[in-house]
Each structure stands twice: as C-alpha cells, then as structure tokens.
Amino acid sequence: MVAAAVHARIDSTRIVSIEGMGLASVREGPTLDAVLDLVARAVGSLPEVPSGPVVSERGEFYEEPEGTVGLHFQEEFKYVETIGERETVQAAHHAAYAARELLRR
C-alpha cells in the first residue's frame, strides 16, 4: 500500500497552492490499523507540519467515525466537507497512484 499526504493551502472551492507532499509505503495488507499507521507516516513525512487538519474520505478508513480515526493522529482530523478539501484529497490519490506505479517497476 502507498499513502500520500498533501499539505495544501485551499479555499472552499479550490487548491490555492501545494506546500509539500509526503509519501509512505508498506507491504502489509489493508487493515484499518495498517492504513492508520501508513497515513500517519505519510503525514509525518511532510516537509512542514500543516497548521490545519488532516482531511480524508470516509472510505479510506472503512467508514469509521471521525472521532475514532482522529485518535490516531496528533493533528486534528476530519472528513471532507468542501470542494477545496476534495480537490486536495484527489491530489493525494494521484500522488499515491503514481508512487505505487513507480514502486512496481
């Protein structure tokens, strides 16, 4: 599995700028604990700690409630609420997919 964390400045409808990206990978199978650890490592590998929350789609954490997932991060955690947040999550998905493809070669 590969996870990408994107540190972005956004407004409610778009990404204003990308401040950095962090990546992490594991060969472990996709369990909730493995995904939580992987995402925490990707966030931890960002060049600069973001001042805002970690944002994700519900499906990434098996539909677990925000409060349960948030316990695994030092930063605030929440699920996507705005178009700008969704765009940032999509950027992270593209980065993770590209990294996964590179690791296969």
Side-chain angles (χ1 to χ4, degrees):
M1 293 187 301
V2 177
V6 174
H7 177 188
R9 297 201 188 286
I10 65 169
D11 63 23
S12 63
T13 61
R14 67 185 181 92
I15 295 173
V16 175
S17 65
I18 301 286
E19 304 298 317
M21 286 190 176
L23 297 166
S25 67
V26 295
R27 296 202 180 274
E28 218 176 306
T31 64
L32 178 59
D33 287 337
V35 172
L36 285 164
D37 180 58
L38 180 63
V39 173
R41 288 194 301 125
V43 171
S45 73
L46 286 167
E48 181 181 326
V49 178
S51 60
V54 172
V55 179
S56 178
E57 293 175 326
R58 284 191 174 279
E60 299 297 329
F61 297 107
Y62 303 97
E63 306 291 327
E64 289 290 327
E66 275 183 8
T68 302
V69 175
L71 295 173
H72 297 274
F73 295 98
Q74 291 180 355
E75 301 81 4
E76 177 189 351
F77 176 83
K78 70 178 207 166
Y79 287 122
V80 169
E81 295 175 358
T82 68
I83 295 169
E85 290 170 351
R86 178 153 310 283
E87 292 292 319
T88 305
V89 168
Q90 287 302 317
H93 284 190
H94 287 294
Y97 179 78
R100 197 168 26 257
E101 288 298 309
L102 287 171
L103 290 171
R104 287 185 184 166
R105 295 173 186 217

